[in-house]
């Protein structure tokens, strides 16, 4: 009688990233609440886009030094510009989605431009957050943006800007 062997299983690091991601993000000087909220986006981006962990390793020194407050400028009705001052999109992105949500509720559409983020790779996770709020959202990005080392195909350059922009 031959022994039955179990099929090989592939271990997924997703649960570990969810659990340990909070502490990895805290190591980059992110406030605890931000790190806790962003941990699933880190895991999702690594799984979908790839390169999220590599980006954090490379941009870690920039993010760690970004201790100043973000600034917000109103450019027009339901149109804002956020200066992330080198912070992670994991921290600046939810602020942008909050502004989009407000703008859509007040005026039916909104635009938020984000300047100075260290890690635009998380744009798809931030778009996902917006869709979870029921927003139809489009993210555009500056020329030359790449996610996980691959050129971005789902995003396009916005004439006249070198920064990321979110539209709802």
């Amino acid at each position: 009688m031959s022994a039955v062997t179990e099929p090989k299983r592939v271990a997924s690091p997703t649960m570990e990233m969810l659990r340990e991601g909070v502490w990895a993000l805290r190591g980059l000087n992110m406030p605890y609440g931000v790190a806790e909220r962003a941990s699933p986006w880190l895991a999702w981006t690594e799984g979908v886009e790839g390169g999220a962990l590599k980006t954090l390793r490379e941009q870690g020194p920039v993010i760690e030094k970004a201790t100043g407050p973000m600034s917000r400028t109103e450019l027009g009705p339901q149109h804002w510009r956020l200066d992330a001052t080198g912070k992670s999109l994991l921290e600046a992105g939810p602020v942008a989605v909050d502004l989009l949500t407000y703008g859509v509720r007040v005026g039916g559409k909104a635009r938020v431009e984000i300047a100075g983020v260290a890690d635009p790779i998380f744009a798809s996770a931030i778009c996902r957050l917006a869709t979870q709020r029921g927003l139809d959202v489009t993210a555009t990005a500056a020329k030359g943006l790449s996610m996980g080392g691959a050129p971005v195909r789902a995003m396009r350059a916005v004439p006249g800007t070198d920064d990321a922009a979110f539209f709802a």
Side-chain angles (χ1 to χ4, degrees):
M1 183 171 176
S2 65
V4 177
T5 59
E6 287 288 317
K8 291 184 180 181
R9 299 186 191 274
V10 177
S12 171
T14 303
M15 292 310 292
E16 185 175 350
M17 281 196 292
L18 289 171
R19 185 177 59 249
E20 303 298 334
V22 174
W23 300 110
L25 295 172
R26 287 286 295 135
L28 297 175
N29 284 335
M30 284 188 194
Y32 182 80
V34 171
E36 186 175 51
R37 184 176 180 189
S39 182
W41 303 330
L42 170 63
W44 189 83
T45 302
E46 181 63 32
V48 173
E49 303 287 350
L53 296 172
K54 178 183 176 199
T55 298
L56 285 179
R57 276 193 305 274
E58 292 172 352
Q59 296 301 319
V62 174
I63 296 168
E64 284 181 75
K65 292 176 186 171
T67 57
M70 289 185 281
S71 65
R72 177 186 72 210
T73 305
E74 189 167 354
L75 302 175
Q78 294 86 44
H79 182 186
W80 298 271
R81 180 174 179 84
L82 288 176
D83 182 357
T85 64
K87 291 183 181 343
S88 172
L89 189 56
L90 295 171
E91 188 168 349
V95 176
V97 173
D98 288 346
L99 288 170
L100 287 174
T101 304
Y102 169 76
V104 168
R105 287 184 181 164
V106 169
K109 63 180 180 176
R111 176 179 177 163
V112 177
E113 299 170 14
I114 304 176
V117 292
D119 51 10
I121 192 169
F122 296 106
S124 61
I126 300 306
C127 288
R128 186 170 177 247
L129 170 65
T131 61
Q132 289 170 339
R133 291 193 184 178
L135 299 175
D136 292 326
V137 64
T138 301
T140 62
K143 58 185 180 233
L145 176 65
S146 67
M147 297 172 115
V152 173
R153 292 185 181 89
M155 296 183 183
R156 65 188 190 287
V158 178
T161 182
D162 289 331
D163 304 311
F166 294 89
F167 304 89

